[in-house]
């Protein structure tokens, strides 16, 4: 069984992740179903056949810098990749009473 399975018509994102499988050498770490849209960035898999399987075909490699399951659509000309912005923790909000 894959570590992550996306079978519905959803948009999934997986960033900066490592997957460790035991006895999963014939399966992908992440499975993206026929209707799903998936973006992965900086992922690595050990003990799996591949890092990502898209529908019925495996994406080559156990480490992916960036991969998207469907063509990137942009309003302006671009390289079609993410901006690699830092993912920050949500800041704490003070519990002050409203004025």
């Amino acid at each position: 069984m894959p570590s992550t399975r996306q079978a519905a018509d959803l948009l999934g994102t997986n960033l900066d992740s490592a997957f460790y499988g035991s006895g999963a050498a014939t399966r992908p770490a992440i499975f993206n179903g026929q209707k799903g849209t998936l973006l992965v960035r900086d992922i690595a898999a050990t003990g799996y056949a591949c890092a990502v399987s898209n529908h019925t075909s495996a994406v080559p490699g156990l480490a992916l810098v960036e991969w998207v399951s469907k063509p990137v659509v942009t309003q302006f000309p671009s390289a079609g990749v993410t901006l690699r912005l830092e993912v920050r923790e949500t800041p704490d909000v003070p519990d002050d009473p409203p004025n």
Side-chain angles (χ1 to χ4, degrees):
M1 180 114 218
S3 177
T4 303
R5 182 178 184 86
Q6 180 171 297
D9 189 9
L10 300 172
L11 171 62
T13 305
N14 202 307
L15 307 175
D16 302 322
S17 302
F19 297 91
Y20 302 96
S22 178
T26 61
R27 302 183 187 277
I30 301 171
F31 173 79
N32 185 47
Q34 187 173 2
K35 295 183 179 182
T37 301
L38 179 64
L39 164 70
V40 297
R41 185 176 76 198
D42 298 330
I43 66 165
T46 302
Y48 290 95
C50 60
V52 176
S53 176
N54 192 40
H55 311 301
T56 57
S57 61
V59 177
L62 289 170
L64 298 174
V65 174
E66 186 166 306
W67 178 84
V68 64
S69 62
K70 295 185 178 170
V72 175
V73 178
T74 63
Q75 184 175 0
F76 304 103
S78 76
V81 296
T82 64
L83 297 174
R84 301 195 67 79
L85 300 175
E86 177 184 0
V87 177
R88 294 185 183 174
E89 197 64 42
T90 305
D92 291 330
V93 177
D95 262 346
D96 297 339
N99 293 333

